Amino acid sequence: MSTLETLYEQLGEERIAILVDKFYDLVFQHPQISHLFKTDKELIKEKQRLFLTQFLGGPPLYSQRYGHPQLRARHMPHPIGQEDAVAWLSCMAKAIGALDADEKVKDDLFKRFVPTAMFMVNQEDGMSE
Ligand code: HEM
């Protein structure tokens, strides 16, 4: 039965908010990628909460507020190498690991991020300093 539910439904809004909160706390202190984040932490958390709601199958809150996500284009001003994507994913893995949720749901959730994170890579490693 649960396989018919979206990850948004399986997690629920509250856990998505907890995930985003924990994730950016990790990102903002990560030695490899923290320097990339220059805006207000609360604003990026709010944008990501809206984005993940729709990315995981919930209502299109991000698009309603900010227009088409065009994630790759929106990341172009930020030099992102493969090592940065790996660091981003490691923060996400930790944040997911801390969630109080079914292991299968956590596994499915992490897998959703891998191709998108790799797609954001727009620089050769070593050029992103
Ligand atoms: C691959 C590693 C990634 C890095 C290093 C990265 C880095 C960044 C940075 C630096 C920003 C701008 C933050 C600011 O305004 O200061 C940003 C924005 C954002 N990122 Fe990422 N990102 C990555 C992957 C992803 C992935 C996989 C997703 C979605 C699953 C994502 C979703 C977003 C969203 C929704 C925004 C806000 C866009 C906006 O409205 O301005 N990012 N990211």
Side-chain angles (χ1 to χ4, degrees):
M1 190 186 103
S2 65
T3 53
L4 296 174
E5 283 177 340
T6 61
L7 277 165
Y8 169 77
E9 287 165 316
Q10 289 174 290
L11 286 163
E13 282 172 26
E14 198 182 324
R15 269 185 295 193
I16 292 174
I18 291 170
L19 173 72
V20 168
D21 223 47
K22 172 85 183 163
F23 171 69
Y24 282 110
D25 288 348
L26 293 166
V27 163
F28 274 70
Q29 63 189 36
H30 196 289
Q32 170 87 21
I33 52 174
S34 60
H35 72 280
L36 293 170
F37 291 82
K38 300 191 167 83
T39 21
D40 180 65
K41 185 153 77 162
E42 293 311 311
L43 176 63
I44 182 75
K45 281 183 178 178
E46 175 66 1
K47 283 183 165 183
Q48 189 66 278
R49 192 185 61 74
L50 299 178
F51 177 76
L52 289 188
T53 297
Q54 75 187 60
F55 183 71
L56 300 174
L61 303 183
Y62 180 91
S63 294
Q64 282 165 4
R65 179 95 61 94
Y66 296 107
H68 191 287
Q70 296 179 301
L71 270 195
R72 195 162 196 281
R74 286 189 205 256
H75 283 77
M76 276 312 220
H78 315 288
I80 299 174
Q82 200 163 325
E83 288 174 3
D84 300 316
V86 170
W88 191 104
L89 285 168
S90 78
C91 293
M92 186 53 82
K94 268 195 199 158
I96 292 172
L99 274 187
D100 178 16
D102 189 89
E103 289 303 319
K104 166 87 169 81
V105 172
K106 292 200 214 185
D107 203 44
D108 289 349
L109 181 60
F110 182 71
K111 286 184 182 145
R112 285 286 275 113
F113 289 113
V114 178
T116 309
M118 291 307 165
F119 186 54
M120 294 307 135
V121 173
N122 54 24
Q123 299 278 309
E124 299 281 337
D125 276 336
M127 296 180 65
S128 58
E129 293 307 305

